[in-house]
Coordinates of all heavy atoms in Angstrom, one line a residue:
S1 N 0.8 -1.3 0.0 CA 0.0 -0.1 0.0 C 0.9 1.2 0.1 O 2.0 1.3 0.6 CB -0.9 0.0 1.1 OG -0.2 0.0 2.4
V2 N 0.4 2.3 -0.5 CA 1.2 3.5 -0.8 C 0.9 4.5 0.4 O -0.3 4.5 0.8 CB 0.9 4.1 -2.2 CG1 1.5 5.5 -2.3 CG2 1.0 3.2 -3.3
V3 N 1.7 5.3 0.8 CA 1.6 6.3 1.8 C 1.6 7.6 1.2 O 2.5 8.0 0.4 CB 2.7 6.2 2.9 CG1 2.6 7.2 3.8 CG2 2.9 4.8 3.5
H4 N 0.5 8.3 1.5 CA 0.4 9.7 1.0 C 1.5 10.6 1.4 O 2.0 10.3 2.5 CB -0.9 10.3 1.5 CG -1.3 11.7 0.7 ND1 -0.9 12.8 1.3 CD2 -2.0 11.9 -0.2 CE1 -1.2 13.7 0.4 NE2 -2.0 13.1 -0.4
P5 N 2.1 11.5 0.6 CA 3.2 12.3 1.0 C 3.1 13.1 2.3 O 4.1 13.2 3.0 CB 3.4 13.4 -0.2 CG 2.8 12.6 -1.3 CD 1.5 11.6 -0.8
T6 N 1.9 13.5 2.6 CA 1.7 14.1 3.9 C 1.7 13.2 5.2 O 1.8 13.8 6.1 CB 0.3 14.9 4.0 OG1 -0.7 14.0 3.8 CG2 0.4 15.9 2.9
H7 N 1.8 12.0 4.9 CA 1.8 11.0 6.1 C 3.1 10.0 6.0 O 3.1 9.1 6.8 CB 0.6 10.0 5.9 CG -0.8 10.8 6.1 ND1 -0.9 11.9 6.9 CD2 -2.1 10.6 5.5 CE1 -2.1 12.4 6.7 NE2 -2.8 11.5 6.0
R8 N 4.0 10.4 5.2 CA 5.3 9.5 5.2 C 6.1 9.7 6.4 O 6.5 10.8 6.8 CB 5.9 9.8 3.8 CG 5.4 9.4 2.6 CD 6.2 9.7 1.5 NE 5.6 9.4 0.1 CZ 5.7 10.1 -0.9 NH1 6.7 11.0 -1.1 NH2 5.1 9.7 -2.0
P9 N 6.5 8.6 6.9 CA 7.6 8.8 8.1 C 8.9 9.1 7.2 O 9.1 8.6 6.1 CB 7.7 7.4 8.5 CG 6.5 6.6 8.0 CD 5.9 7.2 6.9
S10 N 9.5 10.1 7.9 CA 10.8 10.5 7.3 C 11.9 10.4 8.4 O 11.6 10.7 9.6 CB 10.8 11.8 6.5 OG 10.4 12.9 7.6
L11 N 13.1 10.3 7.9 CA 14.3 10.2 8.6 C 15.4 11.0 8.1 O 15.8 10.8 6.9 CB 14.7 8.7 9.0 CG 15.8 8.4 9.9 CD1 15.6 8.9 11.3 CD2 16.2 6.9 9.9
V12 N 16.0 11.9 8.8 CA 17.2 12.6 8.3 C 18.4 11.8 8.7 O 18.7 11.6 9.9 CB 17.3 14.1 9.0 CG1 18.6 14.7 8.6 CG2 16.0 14.8 8.6
M13 N 19.0 11.2 7.6 CA 20.2 10.2 7.9 C 21.5 10.9 8.1 O 22.3 10.5 8.9 CB 20.3 9.1 6.8 CG 19.1 8.3 6.6 SD 18.8 7.4 8.1 CE 20.2 6.2 7.9
A14 N 21.8 12.1 7.4 CA 23.0 12.8 7.5 C 22.6 14.3 7.0 O 21.5 14.5 6.6 CB 24.1 12.2 6.6
E15 N 23.6 15.1 7.1 CA 23.4 16.5 6.6 C 23.0 16.5 5.2 O 23.6 16.1 4.4 CB 24.6 17.3 6.8 CG 24.6 18.8 6.4 CD 23.9 19.6 7.6 OE1 24.0 19.1 8.7 OE2 23.3 20.5 7.2
G16 N 21.6 16.8 4.9 CA 21.2 17.0 3.6 C 20.6 15.6 2.9 O 20.4 15.5 1.7
V17 N 20.5 14.6 3.8 CA 20.1 13.2 3.2 C 18.7 12.9 4.0 O 18.8 12.9 5.2 CB 21.1 12.1 3.4 CG1 20.6 10.8 2.8 CG2 22.4 12.5 2.7
V18 N 17.7 12.7 3.3 CA 16.4 12.4 3.9 C 15.8 11.2 3.3 O 15.8 11.0 2.1 CB 15.4 13.6 3.7 CG1 14.0 13.3 4.4 CG2 16.0 14.9 4.3
W19 N 15.5 10.2 4.1 CA 14.7 9.0 3.8 C 13.2 9.1 4.1 O 12.9 9.6 5.1 CB 15.3 7.8 4.5 CG 16.7 7.4 4.1 CD1 17.7 8.3 3.7 CD2 17.3 6.2 4.4 NE1 18.9 7.5 3.5 CE2 18.6 6.1 3.9 CE3 16.8 4.9 4.8 CZ2 19.5 5.1 3.9 CZ3 17.6 3.9 4.9 CH2 19.0 3.9 4.3
E20 N 12.3 8.7 3.0 CA 10.9 8.7 3.3 C 10.5 7.3 2.9 O 10.8 6.7 1.9 CB 10.3 9.7 2.4 CG 10.5 11.1 2.8 CD 9.8 12.0 1.9 OE1 8.5 12.1 1.9 OE2 10.5 12.6 1.0
R21 N 9.7 6.6 3.8 CA 9.0 5.3 3.5 C 7.8 5.6 2.5 O 6.9 6.4 2.8 CB 8.6 4.6 4.6 CG 8.1 3.2 4.4 CD 7.6 2.5 5.8 NE 8.8 2.3 6.7 CZ 9.7 1.4 6.5 NH1 9.6 0.5 5.6 NH2 10.7 1.2 7.5
L22 N 7.7 4.8 1.3 CA 6.8 5.1 0.4 C 5.6 3.9 0.6 O 4.6 4.2 0.1 CB 7.3 5.0 -1.0 CG 8.4 6.1 -1.4 CD1 8.8 5.9 -2.7 CD2 7.7 7.4 -1.3
A23 N 6.0 2.9 1.2 CA 5.0 1.8 1.4 C 4.6 1.8 2.8 O 5.4 1.9 3.8 CB 5.6 0.4 0.9
A24 N 3.4 1.6 3.1 CA 2.8 1.6 4.5 C 3.3 0.5 5.3 O 3.6 0.5 6.5 CB 1.3 1.5 4.5
T25 N 3.5 -0.7 4.6 CA 4.0 -1.9 5.3 C 5.4 -2.4 4.5 O 5.3 -2.4 3.3 CB 3.1 -3.0 5.4 OG1 2.7 -3.4 4.2 CG2 1.9 -2.6 6.3
P26 N 6.3 -2.7 5.3 CA 7.6 -3.2 4.6 C 7.4 -4.5 4.0 O 6.7 -5.3 4.6 CB 8.7 -3.2 5.7 CG 7.9 -3.1 7.1 CD 6.6 -2.5 6.7
E27 N 8.0 -4.7 3.0 CA 7.9 -6.1 2.2 C 9.1 -6.9 2.7 O 10.1 -6.3 3.0 CB 8.0 -6.0 0.7 CG 6.8 -5.2 0.0 CD 5.4 -6.0 0.3 OE1 5.5 -7.2 0.2 OE2 4.5 -5.2 0.4
R28 N 9.0 -8.1 2.6 CA 10.1 -9.1 3.1 C 11.3 -8.7 2.2 O 11.4 -9.1 1.2 CB 9.6 -10.4 2.9 CG 10.7 -11.5 3.5 CD 10.2 -12.8 3.5 NE 11.2 -13.7 3.9 CZ 11.2 -14.9 3.8 NH1 10.2 -15.5 3.1 NH2 12.2 -15.6 4.1
G29 N 12.4 -8.3 2.9 CA 13.7 -8.1 2.1 C 13.7 -6.8 1.3 O 14.7 -6.7 0.6
V30 N 12.7 -6.0 1.3 CA 12.6 -4.9 0.4 C 12.0 -3.6 1.1 O 11.2 -3.8 1.9 CB 11.6 -5.2 -0.9 CG1 11.7 -3.8 -1.7 CG2 12.2 -6.3 -1.6
S31 N 12.7 -2.5 1.0 CA 12.2 -1.3 1.6 C 12.0 -0.3 0.4 O 13.0 0.1 -0.2 CB 13.3 -0.6 2.5 OG 13.4 -1.5 3.7
F32 N 10.9 0.1 0.2 CA 10.5 1.0 -0.9 C 10.6 2.4 -0.3 O 9.9 2.9 0.4 CB 9.2 0.7 -1.5 CG 8.9 1.4 -2.7 CD1 9.7 1.4 -3.9 CD2 7.7 2.1 -2.8 CE1 9.3 2.1 -4.9 CE2 7.4 2.7 -4.1 CZ 8.3 2.7 -5.2
M33 N 11.7 3.1 -0.7 CA 12.1 4.3 -0.1 C 12.2 5.5 -1.1 O 12.8 5.2 -2.3 CB 13.4 4.2 0.8 CG 13.4 3.1 1.7 SD 12.4 3.5 3.2 CE 13.3 4.7 4.1
K34 N 11.9 6.7 -0.8 CA 12.4 7.9 -1.5 C 13.6 8.6 -0.7 O 13.4 8.9 0.4 CB 11.3 8.9 -1.7 CG 11.8 10.1 -2.3 CD 10.7 11.2 -2.3 CE 11.1 12.6 -2.9 NZ 10.1 13.5 -2.9
I35 N 14.8 8.7 -1.3 CA 15.9 9.1 -0.6 C 16.4 10.4 -1.4 O 16.7 10.3 -2.6 CB 17.1 8.1 -0.3 CG1 16.6 6.8 0.3 CG2 18.2 8.7 0.2 CD1 17.4 5.7 0.2
S36 N 16.4 11.6 -0.8 CA 16.7 12.7 -1.3 C 18.1 13.2 -0.7 O 18.3 13.2 0.4 CB 15.7 13.8 -1.0 OG 14.4 13.4 -1.5
Y37 N 18.9 13.7 -1.7 CA 20.2 14.3 -1.4 C 20.4 15.6 -1.8 O 20.1 16.0 -2.9 CB 21.3 13.5 -2.1 CG 21.6 12.1 -1.6 CD1 20.9 11.0 -2.0 CD2 22.6 11.8 -0.7 CE1 21.2 9.7 -1.6 CE2 23.0 10.6 -0.2 CZ 22.2 9.5 -0.7 OH 22.4 8.3 -0.2
A38 N 20.5 16.5 -0.8 CA 20.8 17.8 -1.2 C 22.0 18.2 -1.9 O 23.0 17.3 -1.8 CB 20.6 18.7 0.2
P39 N 22.3 19.2 -2.6 CA 23.5 19.3 -3.4 C 24.7 19.2 -2.3 O 24.7 19.8 -1.3 CB 23.5 20.8 -4.0 CG 22.1 20.8 -4.3 CD 21.3 20.2 -3.1
G40 N 25.7 18.4 -2.7 CA 26.9 18.3 -1.8 C 26.8 17.4 -0.7 O 27.7 17.1 0.0
A41 N 25.5 16.8 -0.5 CA 25.3 15.9 0.7 C 26.0 14.5 0.5 O 26.2 14.2 -0.7 CB 23.8 15.8 0.9
T42 N 26.2 13.8 1.5 CA 26.8 12.6 1.4 C 26.3 11.6 2.5 O 25.7 12.2 3.6 CB 28.4 12.7 1.7 OG1 28.8 11.3 1.7 CG2 28.7 13.3 3.0
S43 N 26.1 10.4 2.2 CA 25.5 9.4 3.2 C 26.7 8.8 3.9 O 26.3 7.9 4.9 CB 24.8 8.4 2.4 OG 25.4 7.7 1.6
S44 N 27.9 9.1 3.7 CA 29.0 8.5 4.5 C 29.6 9.6 5.4 O 30.6 10.1 5.1 CB 30.1 8.0 3.5 OG 30.5 9.0 2.7
G45 N 28.8 10.0 6.3 CA 29.3 11.2 7.2 C 30.4 10.7 8.0 O 30.9 9.6 8.4
G46 N 31.5 11.8 8.1 CA 32.8 11.7 8.6 C 33.7 10.9 7.8 O 34.7 10.4 8.3
G47 N 33.3 10.6 6.6 CA 34.2 9.9 5.6 C 34.2 8.5 5.8 O 35.0 7.7 5.1
H48 N 33.3 7.9 6.5 CA 33.2 6.5 6.8 C 32.1 5.9 5.9 O 30.9 6.1 6.0 CB 33.0 6.1 8.3 CG 34.0 6.7 9.2 ND1 35.4 6.2 9.3 CD2 34.0 7.7 10.1 CE1 36.0 6.8 10.0 NE2 35.2 7.7 10.6
P49 N 32.5 5.0 4.8 CA 31.4 4.5 4.0 C 30.5 3.6 4.7 O 30.9 2.9 5.7 CB 32.2 3.9 2.9 CG 33.5 3.9 3.3 CD 33.7 4.7 4.6
S50 N 29.2 3.5 4.3 CA 28.3 2.6 4.9 C 28.2 1.3 4.2 O 28.5 1.4 2.9 CB 26.9 3.3 5.1 OG 26.4 3.4 3.9
T51 N 28.0 0.3 4.7 CA 27.8 -1.1 4.2 C 26.7 -1.8 4.5 O 26.2 -1.6 5.6 CB 29.1 -1.9 4.3 OG1 29.2 -2.3 5.7 CG2 30.4 -1.3 3.9
H52 N 26.1 -2.7 3.7 CA 25.0 -3.6 4.0 C 24.9 -4.6 3.0 O 25.4 -4.5 1.9 CB 23.8 -2.6 4.1 CG 23.3 -2.0 2.8 ND1 22.6 -2.7 1.9 CD2 23.5 -0.8 2.4 CE1 22.5 -2.0 0.9 NE2 22.9 -0.7 1.1
D53 N 24.2 -5.7 3.3 CA 23.8 -6.7 2.5 C 22.5 -6.2 1.6 O 21.9 -5.4 1.9 CB 23.4 -8.0 3.1 CG 24.7 -8.7 3.8 OD1 25.9 -8.5 3.3 OD2 24.5 -9.2 4.9
G54 N 22.5 -6.8 0.5 CA 21.3 -6.6 -0.4 C 21.5 -5.7 -1.6 O 22.7 -5.6 -2.0
Y55 N 20.6 -5.3 -2.2 CA 20.6 -4.4 -3.5 C 20.2 -3.1 -3.3 O 19.4 -2.7 -2.3 CB 19.8 -5.0 -4.6 CG 20.2 -6.4 -4.9 CD1 19.8 -7.6 -4.2 CD2 21.4 -6.8 -5.7 CE1 20.3 -9.0 -4.4 CE2 21.8 -8.0 -6.1 CZ 21.3 -9.0 -5.4 OH 21.7 -10.4 -5.6
E56 N 20.5 -2.2 -4.2 CA 20.0 -0.8 -4.3 C 19.6 -0.5 -5.6 O 20.3 -0.9 -6.6 CB 21.3 0.2 -3.8 CG 21.7 0.1 -2.5 CD 20.8 0.8 -1.5 OE1 20.0 1.7 -1.8 OE2 20.9 0.5 -0.4
Y57 N 18.6 0.1 -5.8 CA 17.9 0.6 -7.1 C 17.7 2.0 -7.0 O 17.3 2.5 -6.0 CB 16.8 -0.2 -7.5 CG 16.9 -1.7 -7.5 CD1 16.7 -2.5 -6.4 CD2 17.3 -2.3 -8.7 CE1 16.9 -3.8 -6.5 CE2 17.6 -3.6 -8.8 CZ 17.3 -4.5 -7.7 OH 17.5 -5.8 -7.7
G58 N 18.0 2.9 -8.1 CA 17.7 4.2 -8.0 C 17.4 4.8 -9.2 O 17.7 4.4 -10.3
L59 N 17.0 6.1 -9.1 CA 16.7 6.9 -10.4 C 17.1 8.3 -10.0 O 16.6 8.9 -9.0 CB 15.1 6.9 -10.6 CG 14.6 7.8 -11.7 CD1 15.2 7.4 -13.0 CD2 13.2 7.8 -11.8
V60 N 17.9 8.8 -10.7 CA 18.4 10.3 -10.5 C 17.5 11.2 -11.4 O 17.3 11.1 -12.6 CB 19.8 10.5 -11.1 CG1 20.3 12.0 -10.8 CG2 20.7 9.6 -10.2
L61 N 16.8 12.0 -10.6 CA 15.7 13.0 -11.3 C 16.3 14.3 -11.8 O 16.0 14.7 -12.8 CB 14.6 13.2 -10.3 CG 13.8 11.9 -9.9 CD1 12.7 12.5 -8.9 CD2 13.0 11.4 -11.1
T62 N 17.3 14.7 -11.0 CA 18.1 15.9 -11.4 C 19.5 15.9 -10.8 O 19.6 15.3 -9.7 CB 17.4 17.2 -10.7 OG1 17.3 17.2 -9.4 CG2 16.0 17.4 -11.4
G63 N 20.3 16.5 -11.6 CA 21.7 16.5 -11.0 C 22.5 15.2 -11.3 O 22.3 14.4 -12.2
V64 N 23.5 14.9 -10.5 CA 24.4 13.9 -10.6 C 24.6 13.2 -9.2 O 24.7 13.8 -8.0 CB 25.8 14.4 -10.8 CG1 26.9 13.3 -11.1 CG2 25.9 15.1 -12.3
L65 N 24.6 11.9 -9.2 CA 24.9 11.1 -8.0 C 26.1 10.1 -8.2 O 26.2 9.4 -9.2 CB 23.6 10.2 -7.7 CG 23.6 9.3 -6.5 CD1 23.8 10.4 -5.2 CD2 22.4 8.4 -6.5
E66 N 27.0 10.3 -7.1 CA 28.2 9.4 -7.3 C 28.1 8.4 -6.1 O 27.8 8.6 -5.1 CB 29.5 10.5 -7.0 CG 30.7 9.5 -7.1 CD 32.0 10.5 -6.8 OE1 32.4 11.2 -7.8 OE2 32.5 10.5 -5.7
I67 N 28.3 7.1 -6.6 CA 28.3 5.9 -5.7 C 29.4 5.2 -5.8 O 29.9 5.0 -6.9 CB 26.9 5.1 -6.1 CG1 25.7 5.9 -5.9 CG2 27.0 3.8 -5.2 CD1 24.4 5.2 -6.4
T68 N 30.1 4.8 -4.7 CA 31.2 4.1 -4.6 C 30.7 2.6 -4.1 O 30.2 2.5 -3.0 CB 32.2 4.6 -3.6 OG1 32.5 5.9 -3.9 CG2 33.5 3.8 -3.6
V69 N 31.2 1.7 -4.9 CA 31.0 0.1 -4.4 C 32.3 -0.5 -4.5 O 32.9 -0.7 -5.5 CB 30.1 -0.4 -5.5 CG1 29.9 -2.0 -5.2 CG2 28.6 0.2 -5.6
G70 N 32.7 -0.9 -3.3 CA 34.1 -1.3 -3.2 C 35.2 -0.3 -3.6 O 35.1 0.8 -3.1
D71 N 35.9 -0.6 -4.5 CA 36.9 0.3 -4.9 C 36.6 1.1 -6.3 O 37.3 1.8 -6.9 CB 38.4 -0.4 -5.4 CG 38.9 -0.9 -4.0 OD1 38.9 -0.3 -3.0 OD2 39.7 -1.9 -4.2
E72 N 35.4 0.8 -6.8 CA 34.9 1.4 -8.1 C 33.9 2.6 -7.8 O 33.0 2.5 -6.8 CB 34.1 0.3 -8.9 CG 35.0 -0.7 -9.5 CD 34.2 -1.6 -10.3 OE1 33.9 -1.2 -11.5 OE2 33.7 -2.7 -10.0
V73 N 34.1 3.7 -8.6 CA 33.2 4.8 -8.4 C 32.4 5.0 -9.5 O 32.8 5.0 -10.8 CB 34.0 6.2 -8.2 CG1 33.1 7.3 -8.1 CG2 34.9 6.0 -6.8
F74 N 31.0 5.0 -9.4 CA 30.0 5.3 -10.5 C 29.3 6.6 -10.4 O 29.1 7.1 -9.4 CB 29.0 4.2 -10.4 CG 29.6 2.7 -10.5 CD1 29.9 2.0 -9.3 CD2 29.7 2.1 -11.6 CE1 30.5 0.8 -9.4 CE2 30.2 0.9 -11.7 CZ 30.6 0.3 -10.6
E75 N 29.2 7.2 -11.5 CA 28.4 8.6 -11.6 C 27.3 8.3 -12.4 O 27.3 8.0 -13.6 CB 29.5 9.5 -12.4 CG 29.0 10.9 -11.9 CD 30.1 12.0 -12.4 OE1 30.1 12.2 -13.7 OE2 30.9 12.4 -11.6
F76 N 26.1 8.7 -11.7 CA 24.8 8.6 -12.4 C 24.3 10.1 -12.7 O 24.3 10.9 -11.8 CB 23.8 7.9 -11.5 CG 24.1 6.4 -11.1 CD1 25.0 6.2 -10.2 CD2 23.8 5.4 -12.1 CE1 25.4 4.8 -9.9 CE2 24.1 4.1 -11.7 CZ 24.9 3.8 -10.7
L77 N 23.9 10.3 -13.9 CA 23.5 11.5 -14.4 C 21.9 11.5 -14.8 O 21.4 10.5 -15.1 CB 24.2 11.8 -15.6 CG 25.7 11.8 -15.5 CD1 26.4 11.9 -16.9 CD2 26.3 12.8 -14.7
T78 N 21.2 12.7 -14.7 CA 20.1 12.8 -15.2 C 20.0 12.7 -16.7 O 20.8 13.1 -17.4 CB 19.5 14.3 -14.9 OG1 19.7 14.6 -13.5 CG2 18.1 14.5 -15.3
H79 N 19.0 11.9 -17.1 CA 18.9 11.6 -18.5 C 17.6 12.4 -19.2 O 16.6 12.3 -18.6 CB 18.7 10.1 -18.8 CG 18.3 9.7 -20.2 ND1 19.4 9.9 -21.3 CD2 17.2 9.4 -20.9 CE1 18.9 9.5 -22.4 NE2 17.6 9.3 -22.2
H80 N 17.9 13.1 -20.1 CA 16.7 13.9 -20.8 C 16.7 13.3 -22.1 O 17.6 13.4 -23.0 CB 17.2 15.4 -21.0 CG 17.4 16.0 -19.7 ND1 16.4 16.3 -18.8 CD2 18.6 16.4 -18.9 CE1 16.8 16.8 -17.6 NE2 18.2 16.9 -17.7
G81 N 15.5 12.6 -22.6 CA 15.4 12.1 -23.8 C 14.0 11.5 -24.1 O 13.1 11.4 -24.0

């Protein structure tokens, strides 16, 4: 079930990073979230990268998002087309 934007629980994870739950009930092994990054924000506060098991999927609506996986750095750009 979908949560209306005015009723979404949100959590400020780091300076400029906000997580919002989009589904009313969590699915097994899946969290359907909207995660917003302000310009220059990072989810690795203090320079310590976060790690976890599982998968991440995303869509960049505006700007550029840089993600580091292991020793590789990936840059995701907004696509206009």
